[in-house]
Amino acid sequence: IALLSVMSVLALLGVQRAQAPYPTHPHFVWGLGPSFFESHRTHGDTEVVDNAIGILLGIGDFCWHEGFHFQLIRIQKACIELDPSFGEAYENAAWLLVSYDRKKEALALLERYLQANPNRYEPYYEMGWFYYHWLKQPAQAIPWLEKAVRFPHPPIIEHTLAHAYERAGRLKEALAVWENKLKRYPDDLLARRHMERLRQLLEGQKQ
């Protein structure tokens, strides 16, 4: 199945097996000979999938640098079929789709990302970022970002939640995010600056 997926992508790109745009490309795979496939006969299923994804991403790298972005989207989707947990494939494909104003397709892909990976922060964050950054709808982004921070996550994810609260007019909740972050990271100057700024804003609203 993995090999068929690779060959399908090559067919979509119109690439002949014996020819390449430039054979010196670091991810040159079009000229793979029989010895390559002979040496991979004993690999397990997981390793076969990993190798297939690596080949696809090599082709994708060429597509990116040559401007074949629609083909790259197809390649990312093929990677998802091989490994539904491969977050970067969803994220990169969604970014490309949005870049070409295909937001509905991007949202559908992110929803699939979430359905396949409900127990990690990334798909929730990507949904939140989609609404916050691409659609400029901070209120719609907040529920997704709130869910994202319930999972183990890098602290910077909380910044987006705080900004979404503020842009949605929920200043007290934005302040609480920065205060909570400062309790855990007292040397975080950015969090301190935003905390002090929001406190001043809230004090000004009382006057």
Side-chain angles (χ1 to χ4, degrees), residues 148-179:
V149 299
R150 293 174 188 166
F151 295 91
H153 62 276
I156 198 170
I157 298 300
E158 297 163 33
H159 295 196
T160 307
L161 176 58
H163 292 312
Y165 278 140
E166 183 173 354
R167 292 194 180 186
R170 296 164 62 173
L171 301 187
K172 290 182 179 179
E173 288 161 287
L175 175 60
V177 173
W178 295 118
E179 289 175 336

Side-chain angles (χ1 to χ4, degrees), residues 33-43:
S35 62
F36 174 87
F37 299 99
E38 288 286 340
S39 65
H40 288 71
R41 279 184 175 178
T42 59
H43 285 187

Side-chain angles (χ1 to χ4, degrees), residues 17-28:
R17 183 176 178 278
Q19 298 177 343
Y22 41 95
T24 57
H25 190 268
H27 295 297
F28 173 59

Side-chain angles (χ1 to χ4, degrees), residues 32-74:
L32 292 176
S35 62
F36 174 87
F37 299 99
E38 288 286 340
S39 65
H40 288 71
R41 279 184 175 178
T42 59
H43 285 187
D45 293 343
T46 300
E47 193 169 2
V48 169
V49 169
D50 288 342
N51 287 332
I53 290 175
I55 294 170
L56 287 169
L57 293 179
I59 302 169
D61 183 67
F62 165 77
C63 291
W64 168 254
H65 289 290
E66 296 298 319
F68 300 142
H69 296 159
F70 296 139
Q71 289 87 339
L72 179 53
I73 291 169
R74 297 189 187 107

Side-chain angles (χ1 to χ4, degrees), residues 138-199:
Q140 284 73 19
I142 288 170
W144 298 109
L145 297 171
E146 288 176 333
K147 291 177 182 177
V149 299
R150 293 174 188 166
F151 295 91
H153 62 276
I156 198 170
I157 298 300
E158 297 163 33
H159 295 196
T160 307
L161 176 58
H163 292 312
Y165 278 140
E166 183 173 354
R167 292 194 180 186
R170 296 164 62 173
L171 301 187
K172 290 182 179 179
E173 288 161 287
L175 175 60
V177 173
W178 295 118
E179 289 175 336
N180 180 269
K181 190 162 188 284
L182 267 176
K183 289 178 182 178
R184 292 174 289 126
Y185 304 97
D187 296 327
D188 189 329
L189 297 179
L190 180 65
R192 185 170 300 280
R193 179 167 61 84
H194 282 297
M195 181 190 70
E196 293 172 351
R197 179 180 58 81
L198 284 170
R199 283 179 175 175

